[in-house]
Amino acid sequence: AVTGGTAVMDAQLMGSGAGAGVASFLHFLDAEIEAGKDFDAVMDGVIARREKVLGFGRPVVGPDERVPPVQALMRRFGRDQGKHVTRVRRIEARLFAAKGLQSNVGAWIGAVMCDLGFTPDGVHAMCNIYLAPCIYAQAAFSAERGVPRTPAR
């Protein structure tokens, strides 16, 4: 369980890669806007090219139930109005209108971390750090419930 969890931890769709991916996209948007391009024009291109934007959509289980509590924490601690958090709201509105995609928790974590000055690599590293204890906790929980383990060879 620990080995499998550690392997998945880095995945773009459900691990630290999601936060890093949205951070990369937000930095890409920063560069495009600083170069004089309009947010909507950039998003039009992204949508027209059918590019995948990490941090948006949840292919298997639908809307992310973790988003409302994370947004509540962002409001409580004054982290809900930063440049990147505001951009995530705009990205979500565009992707929802075009593709029906809603944000997942990775979008908000990545945005807050970008607002705090983290690079995409820094977001990736920090997400791995906070995900690691979850893997061990899940392994212990599974063992307590008697979930069978793969026998040693």
Side-chain angles (χ1 to χ4, degrees), residues 51-124:
E51 291 179 25
K52 184 180 291 185
V53 181
L54 295 178
F56 297 88
R58 200 164 176 216
V60 178
V61 294
D64 193 340
E65 72 282 356
R66 300 168 297 177
V67 169
V70 167
Q71 289 175 328
L73 285 169
M74 290 165 43
R75 280 189 300 277
R76 179 176 174 194
F77 292 102
R79 296 288 175 194
D80 61 330
Q81 298 299 318
K83 174 176 83 171
H84 295 101
V85 168
T86 301
R87 285 208 178 126
V88 163
R89 285 190 193 98
R90 292 183 70 192
I91 295 165
E92 181 174 44
R94 291 297 310 276
L95 293 177
F96 186 77
K99 302 179 176 187
L101 295 177
Q102 294 178 297
S103 62
N104 62 48
V105 74
W108 300 102
I109 291 170
V112 168
M113 292 181 77
C114 285
D115 284 339
L116 291 170
F118 283 84
T119 64
D121 286 342
V123 172
H124 194 190

Short mmCIF file of all heavy atoms in Angstrom, two decimals, residues 51-124:
data_model
loop_
_atom_site.label_atom_id
_atom_site.label_comp_id
_atom_site.label_asym_id
_atom_site.label_seq_id
_atom_site.Cartn_x
_atom_site.Cartn_y
_atom_site.Cartn_z
N GLU A 51 -6.44 21.95 -24.91
CA GLU A 51 -5.38 21.66 -23.95
C GLU A 51 -5.99 21.25 -22.62
O GLU A 51 -7.00 21.80 -22.20
CB GLU A 51 -4.48 22.88 -23.75
CG GLU A 51 -3.65 23.22 -24.95
CD GLU A 51 -2.78 24.45 -24.73
OE1 GLU A 51 -2.45 24.77 -23.56
OE2 GLU A 51 -2.44 25.09 -25.73
N LYS A 52 -5.34 20.31 -21.97
CA LYS A 52 -5.76 19.91 -20.63
C LYS A 52 -5.14 20.90 -19.64
O LYS A 52 -3.95 21.18 -19.70
CB LYS A 52 -5.26 18.49 -20.33
CG LYS A 52 -5.73 17.95 -19.00
CD LYS A 52 -5.20 16.55 -18.76
CE LYS A 52 -5.88 15.61 -19.73
NZ LYS A 52 -5.50 14.21 -19.48
N VAL A 53 -5.97 21.43 -18.76
CA VAL A 53 -5.49 22.34 -17.72
C VAL A 53 -5.63 21.60 -16.40
O VAL A 53 -6.74 21.34 -15.93
CB VAL A 53 -6.29 23.66 -17.70
CG1 VAL A 53 -5.75 24.60 -16.62
CG2 VAL A 53 -6.24 24.34 -19.07
N LEU A 54 -4.49 21.22 -15.82
CA LEU A 54 -4.53 20.48 -14.56
C LEU A 54 -5.14 21.35 -13.47
O LEU A 54 -5.00 22.57 -13.47
CB LEU A 54 -3.12 20.03 -14.17
CG LEU A 54 -2.49 19.03 -15.13
CD1 LEU A 54 -1.08 18.68 -14.68
CD2 LEU A 54 -3.33 17.78 -15.25
N GLY A 55 -5.83 20.70 -12.55
CA GLY A 55 -6.52 21.42 -11.48
C GLY A 55 -7.99 21.65 -11.79
O GLY A 55 -8.71 22.21 -10.98
N PHE A 56 -8.42 21.19 -12.96
CA PHE A 56 -9.81 21.38 -13.37
C PHE A 56 -10.36 20.07 -13.90
O PHE A 56 -9.75 19.43 -14.74
CB PHE A 56 -9.92 22.49 -14.43
CG PHE A 56 -9.47 23.81 -13.88
CD1 PHE A 56 -8.14 24.18 -13.95
CD2 PHE A 56 -10.37 24.63 -13.23
CE1 PHE A 56 -7.71 25.37 -13.40
CE2 PHE A 56 -9.95 25.83 -12.67
CZ PHE A 56 -8.61 26.20 -12.75
N GLY A 57 -11.52 19.70 -13.36
CA GLY A 57 -12.13 18.43 -13.71
C GLY A 57 -11.72 17.35 -12.72
O GLY A 57 -10.70 17.45 -12.03
N ARG A 58 -12.56 16.37 -12.63
CA ARG A 58 -12.31 15.22 -11.75
C ARG A 58 -12.98 14.05 -12.45
O ARG A 58 -14.17 13.79 -12.25
CB ARG A 58 -12.91 15.49 -10.38
CG ARG A 58 -12.31 14.62 -9.30
CD ARG A 58 -12.65 15.21 -7.95
NE ARG A 58 -12.18 14.38 -6.88
CZ ARG A 58 -12.82 14.21 -5.75
NH1 ARG A 58 -13.97 14.81 -5.54
NH2 ARG A 58 -12.33 13.45 -4.82
N PRO A 59 -12.23 13.36 -13.30
CA PRO A 59 -12.83 12.45 -14.26
C PRO A 59 -13.65 11.30 -13.70
O PRO A 59 -14.63 10.91 -14.31
CB PRO A 59 -11.64 11.92 -15.05
CG PRO A 59 -10.42 12.34 -14.32
CD PRO A 59 -10.79 13.43 -13.39
N VAL A 60 -13.32 10.80 -12.56
CA VAL A 60 -14.00 9.59 -12.08
C VAL A 60 -15.17 9.90 -11.16
O VAL A 60 -16.25 9.34 -11.33
CB VAL A 60 -12.99 8.65 -11.37
CG1 VAL A 60 -13.69 7.42 -10.83
CG2 VAL A 60 -11.89 8.25 -12.33
N VAL A 61 -14.99 10.80 -10.22
CA VAL A 61 -16.01 10.99 -9.19
C VAL A 61 -16.76 12.32 -9.24
O VAL A 61 -17.59 12.59 -8.39
CB VAL A 61 -15.41 10.80 -7.78
CG1 VAL A 61 -14.97 9.36 -7.57
CG2 VAL A 61 -14.26 11.73 -7.54
N GLY A 62 -16.49 13.15 -10.23
CA GLY A 62 -17.24 14.39 -10.36
C GLY A 62 -16.75 15.51 -9.48
O GLY A 62 -15.60 15.52 -9.07
N PRO A 63 -17.62 16.47 -9.15
CA PRO A 63 -17.20 17.66 -8.40
C PRO A 63 -16.44 17.30 -7.12
O PRO A 63 -16.77 16.33 -6.43
CB PRO A 63 -18.52 18.36 -8.09
CG PRO A 63 -19.45 17.92 -9.17
CD PRO A 63 -19.04 16.50 -9.47
N ASP A 64 -15.44 18.09 -6.84
CA ASP A 64 -14.52 17.82 -5.73
C ASP A 64 -15.09 18.37 -4.42
O ASP A 64 -15.17 19.58 -4.22
CB ASP A 64 -13.17 18.45 -6.04
CG ASP A 64 -12.07 17.99 -5.13
OD1 ASP A 64 -12.36 17.49 -4.02
OD2 ASP A 64 -10.89 18.12 -5.51
N GLU A 65 -15.45 17.46 -3.53
CA GLU A 65 -16.04 17.85 -2.25
C GLU A 65 -15.05 18.55 -1.33
O GLU A 65 -15.42 19.15 -0.33
CB GLU A 65 -16.62 16.61 -1.54
CG GLU A 65 -15.60 15.65 -0.98
CD GLU A 65 -14.95 14.71 -2.00
OE1 GLU A 65 -15.32 14.73 -3.19
OE2 GLU A 65 -14.04 13.94 -1.60
N ARG A 66 -13.77 18.52 -1.67
CA ARG A 66 -12.75 19.18 -0.85
C ARG A 66 -12.66 20.68 -1.12
O ARG A 66 -12.11 21.42 -0.32
CB ARG A 66 -11.38 18.53 -1.09
CG ARG A 66 -11.37 17.04 -0.75
CD ARG A 66 -10.14 16.36 -1.27
NE ARG A 66 -10.11 16.42 -2.75
CZ ARG A 66 -9.11 15.95 -3.49
NH1 ARG A 66 -8.06 15.39 -2.92
NH2 ARG A 66 -9.16 16.04 -4.81
N VAL A 67 -13.19 21.12 -2.26
CA VAL A 67 -13.07 22.53 -2.64
C VAL A 67 -13.77 23.48 -1.66
O VAL A 67 -13.15 24.44 -1.20
CB VAL A 67 -13.53 22.76 -4.10
CG1 VAL A 67 -13.66 24.24 -4.42
CG2 VAL A 67 -12.55 22.08 -5.07
N PRO A 68 -15.04 23.27 -1.31
CA PRO A 68 -15.68 24.23 -0.38
C PRO A 68 -14.95 24.40 0.95
O PRO A 68 -14.75 25.55 1.39
CB PRO A 68 -17.10 23.66 -0.20
CG PRO A 68 -17.36 22.91 -1.47
CD PRO A 68 -16.03 22.30 -1.83
N PRO A 69 -14.48 23.32 1.61
CA PRO A 69 -13.75 23.56 2.86
C PRO A 69 -12.42 24.30 2.65
O PRO A 69 -12.03 25.12 3.47
CB PRO A 69 -13.51 22.17 3.44
CG PRO A 69 -14.34 21.23 2.67
CD PRO A 69 -14.76 21.90 1.42
N VAL A 70 -11.75 24.00 1.54
CA VAL A 70 -10.49 24.71 1.26
C VAL A 70 -10.77 26.18 1.00
O VAL A 70 -10.05 27.06 1.50
CB VAL A 70 -9.74 24.04 0.08
CG1 VAL A 70 -8.61 24.94 -0.44
CG2 VAL A 70 -9.18 22.69 0.51
N GLN A 71 -11.82 26.48 0.25
CA GLN A 71 -12.18 27.87 0.01
C GLN A 71 -12.56 28.59 1.31
O GLN A 71 -12.23 29.77 1.49
CB GLN A 71 -13.31 27.97 -1.02
CG GLN A 71 -12.85 27.59 -2.41
CD GLN A 71 -13.99 27.57 -3.41
OE1 GLN A 71 -15.13 27.25 -3.07
NE2 GLN A 71 -13.68 27.90 -4.65
N ALA A 72 -13.24 27.89 2.20
CA ALA A 72 -13.59 28.48 3.50
C ALA A 72 -12.32 28.82 4.29
O ALA A 72 -12.23 29.88 4.91
CB ALA A 72 -14.50 27.54 4.30
N LEU A 73 -11.35 27.93 4.27
CA LEU A 73 -10.07 28.20 4.95
C LEU A 73 -9.34 29.37 4.30
O LEU A 73 -8.75 30.20 5.00
CB LEU A 73 -9.18 26.96 4.93
CG LEU A 73 -9.56 25.85 5.89
CD1 LEU A 73 -8.78 24.58 5.60
CD2 LEU A 73 -9.34 26.31 7.34
N MET A 74 -9.41 29.44 2.97
CA MET A 74 -8.78 30.56 2.27
C MET A 74 -9.40 31.89 2.73
O MET A 74 -8.67 32.85 3.00
CB MET A 74 -8.92 30.39 0.75
CG MET A 74 -8.07 29.26 0.20
SD MET A 74 -8.53 28.73 -1.47
CE MET A 74 -8.79 30.25 -2.33
N ARG A 75 -10.72 31.92 2.83
CA ARG A 75 -11.40 33.14 3.28
C ARG A 75 -11.01 33.45 4.74
O ARG A 75 -10.70 34.60 5.08
CB ARG A 75 -12.91 32.99 3.17
CG ARG A 75 -13.45 33.21 1.78
CD ARG A 75 -14.98 33.25 1.74
NE ARG A 75 -15.60 32.02 2.22
CZ ARG A 75 -15.78 30.94 1.47
NH1 ARG A 75 -15.39 30.90 0.22
NH2 ARG A 75 -16.38 29.87 1.97
N ARG A 76 -11.04 32.43 5.57
CA ARG A 76 -10.75 32.62 7.00
C ARG A 76 -9.37 33.22 7.23
O ARG A 76 -9.17 34.04 8.13
CB ARG A 76 -10.87 31.28 7.71
CG ARG A 76 -10.57 31.35 9.19
CD ARG A 76 -10.80 30.01 9.84
NE ARG A 76 -10.37 30.03 11.22
CZ ARG A 76 -10.21 28.97 11.95
NH1 ARG A 76 -10.47 27.76 11.46
NH2 ARG A 76 -9.82 29.07 13.20
N PHE A 77 -8.40 32.80 6.41
CA PHE A 77 -7.03 33.25 6.61
C PHE A 77 -6.60 34.34 5.60
O PHE A 77 -5.42 34.62 5.46
CB PHE A 77 -6.07 32.06 6.58
CG PHE A 77 -6.25 31.17 7.77
CD1 PHE A 77 -6.94 29.98 7.65
CD2 PHE A 77 -5.77 31.53 9.02
CE1 PHE A 77 -7.14 29.15 8.76
CE2 PHE A 77 -5.96 30.72 10.13
CZ PHE A 77 -6.65 29.53 10.00
N GLY A 78 -7.59 34.93 4.92
CA GLY A 78 -7.30 36.05 4.04
C GLY A 78 -6.49 35.70 2.81
O GLY A 78 -5.74 36.53 2.30
N ARG A 79 -6.66 34.49 2.31
CA ARG A 79 -5.92 34.04 1.13
C ARG A 79 -6.83 33.86 -0.08
O ARG A 79 -6.48 33.18 -1.03
CB ARG A 79 -5.19 32.73 1.42
CG ARG A 79 -4.13 32.84 2.47
CD ARG A 79 -2.95 33.59 1.94
NE ARG A 79 -1.96 33.81 2.97
CZ ARG A 79 -0.97 34.65 2.84
NH1 ARG A 79 -0.84 35.35 1.74
NH2 ARG A 79 -0.11 34.83 3.82
N ASP A 80 -7.98 34.49 -0.08
CA ASP A 80 -8.97 34.26 -1.14
C ASP A 80 -9.02 35.35 -2.20
O ASP A 80 -9.84 35.29 -3.11
CB ASP A 80 -10.36 34.08 -0.53
CG ASP A 80 -10.83 35.29 0.25
OD1 ASP A 80 -9.98 36.02 0.81
OD2 ASP A 80 -12.05 35.52 0.28
N GLN A 81 -8.13 36.35 -2.13
CA GLN A 81 -8.18 37.45 -3.10
C GLN A 81 -6.86 37.65 -3.83
O GLN A 81 -6.68 38.66 -4.51
CB GLN A 81 -8.58 38.76 -2.40
CG GLN A 81 -9.96 38.72 -1.77
CD GLN A 81 -11.05 38.47 -2.80
OE1 GLN A 81 -11.04 39.03 -3.89
NE2 GLN A 81 -11.99 37.59 -2.46
N GLY A 82 -5.94 36.73 -3.71
CA GLY A 82 -4.66 36.87 -4.39
C GLY A 82 -4.80 36.81 -5.90
O GLY A 82 -5.82 36.37 -6.44
N LYS A 83 -3.75 37.25 -6.58
CA LYS A 83 -3.76 37.29 -8.05
C LYS A 83 -4.05 35.92 -8.65
O LYS A 83 -4.88 35.79 -9.55
CB LYS A 83 -2.41 37.81 -8.55
CG LYS A 83 -2.25 37.77 -10.06
CD LYS A 83 -0.95 38.39 -10.53
CE LYS A 83 0.18 37.41 -10.42
NZ LYS A 83 1.42 37.90 -11.06
N HIS A 84 -3.39 34.90 -8.17
CA HIS A 84 -3.55 33.57 -8.76
C HIS A 84 -4.87 32.92 -8.35
O HIS A 84 -5.49 32.21 -9.15
CB HIS A 84 -2.35 32.69 -8.41
CG HIS A 84 -1.09 33.22 -9.02
ND1 HIS A 84 -0.17 33.93 -8.29
CD2 HIS A 84 -0.63 33.17 -10.28
CE1 HIS A 84 0.82 34.29 -9.09
NE2 HIS A 84 0.56 33.85 -10.30
N VAL A 85 -5.31 33.15 -7.13
CA VAL A 85 -6.62 32.65 -6.71
C VAL A 85 -7.71 33.28 -7.57
O VAL A 85 -8.63 32.60 -8.03
CB VAL A 85 -6.85 32.91 -5.20
CG1 VAL A 85 -8.30 32.67 -4.81
CG2 VAL A 85 -5.92 32.06 -4.36
N THR A 86 -7.59 34.57 -7.81
CA THR A 86 -8.56 35.26 -8.67
C THR A 86 -8.53 34.70 -10.08
O THR A 86 -9.57 34.50 -10.71
CB THR A 86 -8.26 36.78 -8.67
OG1 THR A 86 -8.35 37.24 -7.31
CG2 THR A 86 -9.26 37.54 -9.52
N ARG A 87 -7.33 34.40 -10.57
CA ARG A 87 -7.23 33.80 -11.91
C ARG A 87 -7.85 32.42 -11.96
O ARG A 87 -8.46 32.05 -12.97
CB ARG A 87 -5.77 33.76 -12.36
CG ARG A 87 -5.27 35.11 -12.77
CD ARG A 87 -4.18 35.06 -13.79
NE ARG A 87 -3.83 36.43 -14.13
CZ ARG A 87 -2.60 36.91 -14.08
NH1 ARG A 87 -1.59 36.12 -13.76
NH2 ARG A 87 -2.37 38.16 -14.39
N VAL A 88 -7.70 31.65 -10.91
CA VAL A 88 -8.33 30.32 -10.90
C VAL A 88 -9.84 30.46 -11.03
O VAL A 88 -10.48 29.68 -11.74
CB VAL A 88 -7.92 29.50 -9.65
CG1 VAL A 88 -8.85 28.32 -9.41
CG2 VAL A 88 -6.49 29.01 -9.80
N ARG A 89 -10.42 31.45 -10.37
CA ARG A 89 -11.87 31.67 -10.51
C ARG A 89 -12.23 31.97 -11.97
O ARG A 89 -13.21 31.45 -12.49
CB ARG A 89 -12.32 32.84 -9.63
CG ARG A 89 -12.41 32.50 -8.17
CD ARG A 89 -13.09 33.63 -7.38
NE ARG A 89 -12.87 33.40 -5.98
CZ ARG A 89 -11.92 34.00 -5.25
NH1 ARG A 89 -11.13 34.91 -5.78
NH2 ARG A 89 -11.77 33.71 -3.99
N ARG A 90 -11.41 32.80 -12.62
CA ARG A 90 -11.67 33.15 -14.02
C ARG A 90 -11.46 31.95 -14.94
O ARG A 90 -12.23 31.74 -15.87
CB ARG A 90 -10.78 34.32 -14.45
CG ARG A 90 -11.15 35.62 -13.76
CD ARG A 90 -10.32 36.77 -14.26
NE ARG A 90 -10.68 37.11 -15.63
CZ ARG A 90 -9.96 37.91 -16.41
NH1 ARG A 90 -8.84 38.46 -15.95
NH2 ARG A 90 -10.35 38.18 -17.65
N ILE A 91 -10.42 31.18 -14.68
CA ILE A 91 -10.17 29.97 -15.48
C ILE A 91 -11.33 29.01 -15.34
O ILE A 91 -11.83 28.46 -16.32
CB ILE A 91 -8.84 29.29 -15.05
CG1 ILE A 91 -7.65 30.19 -15.34
CG2 ILE A 91 -8.69 27.93 -15.73
CD1 ILE A 91 -6.38 29.76 -14.62
N GLU A 92 -11.77 28.82 -14.09
CA GLU A 92 -12.88 27.90 -13.85
C GLU A 92 -14.14 28.35 -14.60
O GLU A 92 -14.83 27.53 -15.21
CB GLU A 92 -13.18 27.78 -12.36
CG GLU A 92 -14.32 26.81 -12.07
CD GLU A 92 -14.53 26.58 -10.58
OE1 GLU A 92 -14.50 27.56 -9.80
OE2 GLU A 92 -14.72 25.41 -10.21
N ALA A 93 -14.43 29.63 -14.58
CA ALA A 93 -15.62 30.13 -15.29
C ALA A 93 -15.52 29.84 -16.78
O ALA A 93 -16.49 29.39 -17.41
CB ALA A 93 -15.78 31.63 -15.05
N ARG A 94 -14.33 30.04 -17.35
CA ARG A 94 -14.15 29.79 -18.78
C ARG A 94 -14.23 28.29 -19.09
O ARG A 94 -14.87 27.88 -20.06
CB ARG A 94 -12.80 30.35 -19.26
CG ARG A 94 -12.71 31.87 -19.27
CD ARG A 94 -13.71 32.53 -20.23
NE ARG A 94 -13.69 31.97 -21.57
CZ ARG A 94 -12.86 32.32 -22.54
NH1 ARG A 94 -11.97 33.28 -22.34
NH2 ARG A 94 -12.92 31.74 -23.72
N LEU A 95 -13.56 27.46 -18.29
CA LEU A 95 -13.57 26.02 -18.56
C LEU A 95 -14.94 25.40 -18.29
O LEU A 95 -15.34 24.45 -18.97
CB LEU A 95 -12.48 25.31 -17.75
CG LEU A 95 -11.04 25.65 -18.15
CD1 LEU A 95 -10.06 24.94 -17.24
CD2 LEU A 95 -10.78 25.31 -19.60
N PHE A 96 -15.66 25.94 -17.32
CA PHE A 96 -17.00 25.43 -17.06
C PHE A 96 -17.92 25.75 -18.24
O PHE A 96 -18.69 24.91 -18.69
CB PHE A 96 -17.58 25.98 -15.75
CG PHE A 96 -18.89 25.35 -15.39
CD1 PHE A 96 -18.92 24.08 -14.84
CD2 PHE A 96 -20.08 26.00 -15.63
CE1 PHE A 96 -20.13 23.47 -14.53
CE2 PHE A 96 -21.30 25.41 -15.32
CZ PHE A 96 -21.32 24.14 -14.77
N ALA A 97 -17.83 26.99 -18.73
CA ALA A 97 -18.67 27.39 -19.87
C ALA A 97 -18.34 26.58 -21.13
O ALA A 97 -19.24 26.21 -21.88
CB ALA A 97 -18.51 28.88 -20.14
N ALA A 98 -17.06 26.30 -21.34
CA ALA A 98 -16.64 25.62 -22.56
C ALA A 98 -16.73 24.10 -22.48
O ALA A 98 -17.07 23.44 -23.46
CB ALA A 98 -15.21 26.01 -22.91
N LYS A 99 -16.42 23.55 -21.30
CA LYS A 99 -16.29 22.10 -21.19
C LYS A 99 -17.05 21.49 -20.01
O LYS A 99 -17.00 20.28 -19.80
CB LYS A 99 -14.81 21.71 -21.01
CG LYS A 99 -13.89 22.16 -22.12
CD LYS A 99 -12.47 21.74 -21.77
CE LYS A 99 -11.49 22.07 -22.86
NZ LYS A 99 -10.16 21.52 -22.57
N GLY A 100 -17.68 22.32 -19.20
CA GLY A 100 -18.37 21.81 -18.02
C GLY A 100 -17.43 21.40 -16.90
O GLY A 100 -17.82 20.65 -16.01
N LEU A 101 -16.17 21.88 -16.93
CA LEU A 101 -15.18 21.50 -15.92
C LEU A 101 -15.21 22.44 -14.73
O LEU A 101 -15.25 23.66 -14.88
CB LEU A 101 -13.77 21.51 -16.51
CG LEU A 101 -13.48 20.50 -17.60
CD1 LEU A 101 -12.05 20.69 -18.12
CD2 LEU A 101 -13.68 19.08 -17.10
N GLN A 102 -15.17 21.84 -13.54
CA GLN A 102 -15.05 22.61 -12.31
C GLN A 102 -13.65 22.41 -11.74
O GLN A 102 -12.97 21.44 -12.07
CB GLN A 102 -16.08 22.14 -11.29
CG GLN A 102 -17.51 22.44 -11.73
CD GLN A 102 -18.50 21.90 -10.72
OE1 GLN A 102 -18.58 20.70 -10.50
NE2 GLN A 102 -19.26 22.80 -10.12
N SER A 103 -13.25 23.30 -10.86
CA SER A 103 -11.94 23.17 -10.24
C SER A 103 -11.92 21.98 -9.29
O SER A 103 -12.95 21.57 -8.76
CB SER A 103 -11.60 24.45 -9.47
OG SER A 103 -12.54 24.65 -8.43
N ASN A 104 -10.72 21.46 -9.10
CA ASN A 104 -10.52 20.49 -8.03
C ASN A 104 -9.59 21.12 -7.00
O ASN A 104 -9.12 22.24 -7.19
CB ASN A 104 -10.03 19.14 -8.57
CG ASN A 104 -8.70 19.22 -9.28
OD1 ASN A 104 -7.75 19.81 -8.77
ND2 ASN A 104 -8.63 18.63 -10.46
N VAL A 105 -9.35 20.44 -5.92
CA VAL A 105 -8.60 21.02 -4.82
C VAL A 105 -7.19 21.42 -5.24
O VAL A 105 -6.62 22.39 -4.73
CB VAL A 105 -8.61 20.07 -3.59
CG1 VAL A 105 -7.70 18.88 -3.81
CG2 VAL A 105 -8.26 20.83 -2.32
N GLY A 106 -6.62 20.71 -6.23
CA GLY A 106 -5.28 21.05 -6.70
C GLY A 106 -5.19 22.47 -7.24
O GLY A 106 -4.16 23.14 -7.08
N ALA A 107 -6.25 22.94 -7.89
CA ALA A 107 -6.25 24.30 -8.44
C ALA A 107 -6.09 25.33 -7.33
O ALA A 107 -5.33 26.29 -7.46
CB ALA A 107 -7.53 24.56 -9.23
N TRP A 108 -6.82 25.14 -6.26
CA TRP A 108 -6.82 26.13 -5.18
C TRP A 108 -5.53 26.07 -4.37
O TRP A 108 -4.98 27.10 -3.97
CB TRP A 108 -8.05 25.94 -4.30
CG TRP A 108 -9.28 26.12 -5.14
CD1 TRP A 108 -10.09 25.14 -5.64
CD2 TRP A 108 -9.78 27.35 -5.67
NE1 TRP A 108 -11.08 25.69 -6.42
CE2 TRP A 108 -10.91 27.05 -6.46
CE3 TRP A 108 -9.39 28.68 -5.54
CZ2 TRP A 108 -11.64 28.02 -7.12
CZ3 TRP A 108 -10.13 29.65 -6.20
CH2 TRP A 108 -11.24 29.32 -6.97
N ILE A 109 -5.04 24.86 -4.13
CA ILE A 109 -3.77 24.73 -3.40
C ILE A 109 -2.65 25.35 -4.22
O ILE A 109 -1.83 26.12 -3.71
CB ILE A 109 -3.49 23.25 -3.05
CG1 ILE A 109 -4.50 22.78 -2.01
CG2 ILE A 109 -2.06 23.05 -2.58
CD1 ILE A 109 -4.49 21.28 -1.76
N GLY A 110 -2.61 25.02 -5.51
CA GLY A 110 -1.58 25.59 -6.38
C GLY A 110 -1.66 27.11 -6.45
O GLY A 110 -0.63 27.80 -6.43
N ALA A 111 -2.88 27.65 -6.53
CA ALA A 111 -3.05 29.10 -6.63
C ALA A 111 -2.58 29.81 -5.36
O ALA A 111 -1.86 30.82 -5.43
CB ALA A 111 -4.51 29.44 -6.90
N VAL A 112 -2.97 29.29 -4.20
CA VAL A 112 -2.54 29.91 -2.94
C VAL A 112 -1.02 29.86 -2.83
O VAL A 112 -0.37 30.85 -2.46
CB VAL A 112 -3.21 29.24 -1.72
CG1 VAL A 112 -2.55 29.68 -0.42
CG2 VAL A 112 -4.70 29.55 -1.70
N MET A 113 -0.45 28.72 -3.19
CA MET A 113 1.01 28.60 -3.09
C MET A 113 1.72 29.54 -4.07
O MET A 113 2.75 30.12 -3.73
CB MET A 113 1.42 27.15 -3.28
CG MET A 113 0.95 26.27 -2.12
SD MET A 113 1.43 24.55 -2.25
CE MET A 113 3.16 24.69 -1.77
N CYS A 114 1.16 29.72 -5.27
CA CYS A 114 1.73 30.70 -6.21
C CYS A 114 1.63 32.11 -5.63
O CYS A 114 2.57 32.90 -5.74
CB CYS A 114 1.04 30.63 -7.56
SG CYS A 114 1.51 29.21 -8.56
N ASP A 115 0.50 32.41 -5.00
CA ASP A 115 0.34 33.73 -4.38
C ASP A 115 1.34 33.93 -3.24
O ASP A 115 1.72 35.06 -2.93
CB ASP A 115 -1.08 33.93 -3.87
CG ASP A 115 -2.07 34.24 -4.99
OD1 ASP A 115 -1.62 34.68 -6.08
OD2 ASP A 115 -3.28 34.04 -4.78
N LEU A 116 1.78 32.84 -2.63
CA LEU A 116 2.79 32.92 -1.56
C LEU A 116 4.21 32.96 -2.11
O LEU A 116 5.17 33.06 -1.34
CB LEU A 116 2.63 31.73 -0.60
CG LEU A 116 1.38 31.75 0.26
CD1 LEU A 116 1.21 30.43 0.99
CD2 LEU A 116 1.43 32.92 1.26
N GLY A 117 4.35 32.87 -3.45
CA GLY A 117 5.67 32.98 -4.06
C GLY A 117 6.32 31.68 -4.47
O GLY A 117 7.47 31.68 -4.93
N PHE A 118 5.61 30.56 -4.35
CA PHE A 118 6.18 29.29 -4.75
C PHE A 118 6.26 29.16 -6.27
O PHE A 118 5.37 29.62 -6.99
CB PHE A 118 5.34 28.12 -4.22
CG PHE A 118 5.53 27.82 -2.76
CD1 PHE A 118 4.84 28.54 -1.80
CD2 PHE A 118 6.41 26.84 -2.35
CE1 PHE A 118 5.00 28.27 -0.46
CE2 PHE A 118 6.59 26.56 -1.02
CZ PHE A 118 5.89 27.27 -0.05
N THR A 119 7.32 28.53 -6.75
CA THR A 119 7.44 28.17 -8.16
C THR A 119 6.68 26.87 -8.37
O THR A 119 6.34 26.17 -7.39
CB THR A 119 8.91 27.93 -8.53
OG1 THR A 119 9.38 26.80 -7.79
CG2 THR A 119 9.77 29.16 -8.24
N PRO A 120 6.44 26.48 -9.63
CA PRO A 120 5.80 25.17 -9.86
C PRO A 120 6.57 24.02 -9.21
O PRO A 120 5.96 23.12 -8.62
CB PRO A 120 5.77 25.06 -11.38
CG PRO A 120 5.63 26.49 -11.83
CD PRO A 120 6.51 27.26 -10.87
N ASP A 121 7.90 24.04 -9.27
CA ASP A 121 8.68 22.98 -8.62
C ASP A 121 8.51 23.01 -7.11
O ASP A 121 8.45 21.97 -6.45
CB ASP A 121 10.16 23.09 -8.98
CG ASP A 121 10.46 22.65 -10.40
OD1 ASP A 121 9.64 21.94 -11.01
OD2 ASP A 121 11.55 23.00 -10.90
N GLY A 122 8.43 24.21 -6.55
CA GLY A 122 8.21 24.33 -5.11
C GLY A 122 6.84 23.82 -4.70
O GLY A 122 6.70 23.15 -3.67
N VAL A 123 5.83 24.11 -5.53
CA VAL A 123 4.48 23.58 -5.26
C VAL A 123 4.52 22.07 -5.29
O VAL A 123 3.96 21.40 -4.40
CB VAL A 123 3.45 24.14 -6.28
CG1 VAL A 123 2.11 23.44 -6.12
CG2 VAL A 123 3.30 25.64 -6.12
N HIS A 124 5.18 21.51 -6.30
CA HIS A 124 5.27 20.06 -6.43
C HIS A 124 5.92 19.44 -5.19
O HIS A 124 5.39 18.47 -4.61
CB HIS A 124 6.09 19.74 -7.68
CG HIS A 124 6.00 18.34 -8.14
ND1 HIS A 124 6.81 17.84 -9.11
CD2 HIS A 124 5.22 17.31 -7.76
CE1 HIS A 124 6.52 16.57 -9.33
NE2 HIS A 124 5.56 16.23 -8.51
#
